[in-house]
Amino acid sequence: MREIQDLLQGAIDMHVHSWPDVSLAHPQHRTNDDVIRQCREAGMKGIVLKTHGWPAASLAHQLNSEHEDFNVYASATLNTMAGGPHPWVVETAIGMGCRMIWLPTISAKSDHDSHGFSVSMEKYIPRIHNLKDEDYYWLLDENGNLKDEIKECVALCRDYDIVLGTGHISAEESMAVGRFAAEIGYHKVCLTHPRSHCCYNTFEQIQAFAQMGHFVEFCALNVAPLHSSMTIADICRIIEEAGADHCYLSTDHFFDWTPSIPQQIYQVLGCLLEAGVDYEKLQTIMQNPHRLLD
C-alpha cells in the first residue's frame, strides 16, 4: 500500500542491534552495510545502533563516513561490559558522540530474575552462568527510590539533550526513572519494549509513564513469532491510552530469521492501519524519533 510506504519515508529505527553484538558466533546473515542499504532503498533516513556489549560509537562513526544521506546514531548500553550504570560511563559515551543511552539489559537484575535475554546469551558468553545475583544491577535503594548514581546518569542525559532508554530494567525501576526525569524537566525517556517478560509493564503503568511526558516504544520483534509479548490489539490500546504523541515504532533488529527492517515496520504499520488506527496518528508515531534525536 502506497500510504504505508509513505510512512517509511524519512523514518528512523531507534532499536537496531549492530553486527557483531554479543559474539561473532551469533548468527546474522545481514551485515551492517546490508541493513543500511535495505533501509535506504525503502526511503528510511536513519537507525540507532545498539549493542548489549561494547558501545557502538566507533562503528557508528565509521558507517556514517561510508554511507551518505543516512544517519547512524551511536548509543551505549550500561551493561557490565561497558562499565555499568555509572555517571562516568554515561559521560564517556556522550563524549564519544552517543545520542542514546540504554539502562542495563543483560546486566539488569530484572532480566536475570525473569530468566530473560541473559540466559539465552549463555551459549555465546558461557561465563554469564557464573555470575551471582549481586553481580546484576538493581537501580533502587532500600526505600524504593532511585540511587543517587542513577539520578546523576539521568541528569547527564538531560543536560546533554540525549535520549534515555529503560533497557531491561523492571517496571518498578522504570517508573522510578520516569518520575525522577519528570521532576527535573527531562522528557526524552523511552519505555523500551514495555510488555517484554524481563520488564513487564501493565497497561496502567504504560499510560502513567506517557502521562509524565515520556515515550513508549513498540518493537516489531515483540509481535513476531518466538518473541511475541504484545499483540496488534495491545499496541492499538496503548496508542489510544498513551497518545500517539508519546509512542514510536522500532524493530529491535537482532535475529537472523526476521525480515528486513523496512519489511518489519511495513507489516506492523499495515496491521495497525487495518485495525483502525488513524493514519494521522501513525504519521505522528513515525515522526517521534525525529523529535527525540534531532
Side-chain angles (χ1 to χ4, degrees):
M1 295 173 64
R2 182 64 199 177
E3 54 191 350
I4 302 176
Q5 292 175 343
D6 288 344
L7 290 170
L8 277 167
Q9 303 311 299
I12 300 172
D13 186 347
M14 289 182 56
H15 199 150
V16 177
H17 288 273
S18 70
W19 187 87
D21 187 338
V22 293
S23 170
L24 286 170
H26 184 269
Q28 275 278 31
H29 70 275
R30 299 183 191 94
T31 67
N32 299 308
D33 293 325
D34 290 334
V35 167
I36 292 171
R37 177 182 52 79
Q38 291 169 344
C39 289
R40 287 185 65 181
E41 288 176 353
M44 295 176 63
K45 288 296 184 183
I47 58 174
V48 173
L49 204 61
K50 180 188 180 184
T51 60
H52 289 292
W54 313 119
S58 297
L59 177 57
H61 292 311
Q62 176 188 334
L63 292 170
N64 276 320
S65 70
E66 296 172 350
H67 295 275
E68 296 180 358
D69 301 320
F70 193 87
N71 291 321
V72 180
Y73 299 89
S75 74
T77 308
L78 304 183
N79 288 321
T80 301
M81 298 85 83
H86 305 293
W88 66 267
V89 179
V90 175
E91 195 168 48
T92 301
I94 293 170
M96 290 286 288
C98 289
R99 294 295 303 154
M100 186 168 182
I101 297 293
W102 306 79
L103 292 170
T105 56
I106 59 177
S107 293
K109 188 175 186 300
S110 174
D111 186 282
H112 172 63
D113 290 349
S114 64
H115 302 286
F117 189 72
S118 61
V119 173
S120 67
M121 288 299 102
E122 285 184 12
K123 59 184 173 181
Y124 303 116
I125 314 172
R127 289 185 181 275
I128 283 182
H129 184 72
N130 297 335
L131 295 177
K132 302 178 178 63
D133 287 350
E134 57 267 27
D135 293 325
Y136 292 88
Y137 297 113
W138 180 253
L139 309 187
L140 308 180
D141 62 21
E142 60 276 7
N143 297 315
N145 299 314
L146 273 187
K147 295 177 179 177
D148 288 342
E149 232 185 358
I150 306 304
K151 289 181 178 180
E152 193 172 348
C153 290
V154 176
L156 278 167
C157 291
R158 177 202 61 182
D159 294 345
Y160 286 90
D161 193 33
I162 66 170
V163 184
L164 177 66
T166 55
H168 292 189
I169 64 174
S170 68
E172 183 183 358
E173 293 167 286
S174 293
M175 296 303 290
V177 169
R179 286 191 296 269
F180 175 72
E183 288 172 8
I184 64 173
Y186 170 55
H187 298 291
K188 288 192 174 185
V189 187
C190 301
L191 191 62
T192 51
H193 37 53
R195 300 281 288 177
S196 295
H197 304 300
C198 59
C199 45
Y200 187 82
N201 290 261
T202 65
F203 287 109
E204 292 73 22
Q205 289 170 327
I206 293 170
Q207 183 179 17
F209 196 87
Q211 288 175 341
M212 295 177 198
H214 308 316
F215 289 79
V216 179
E217 176 192 54
F218 313 130
C219 293
L221 182 65
N222 293 140
V223 296
L226 188 62
H227 288 275
S228 176
S229 61
M230 180 181 285
T231 66
I232 293 297
D234 291 337
I235 298 178
C236 292
R237 176 178 175 179
I238 293 169
I239 292 171
E240 183 64 28
E241 294 179 352
D245 285 345
H246 297 280
C247 300
Y248 68 92
L249 172 63
S250 70
T251 62
D252 197 357
H253 170 78
F254 186 69
F255 295 99
D256 198 47
W257 48 264
T258 57
S260 70
I261 286 173
Q263 289 172 328
Q264 291 181 74
I265 295 174
Y266 184 102
Q267 184 178 46
V268 174
L269 288 173
C271 289
L272 292 173
L273 198 60
E274 185 72 15
V277 178
D278 292 340
Y279 187 76
E280 292 74 17
K281 289 183 178 179
L282 294 180
Q283 287 178 311
T284 298
I285 288 168
M286 296 304 291
Q287 282 298 313
N288 283 336
H290 289 279
R291 294 173 55 198
L292 285 162
L293 292 163
D294 298 333

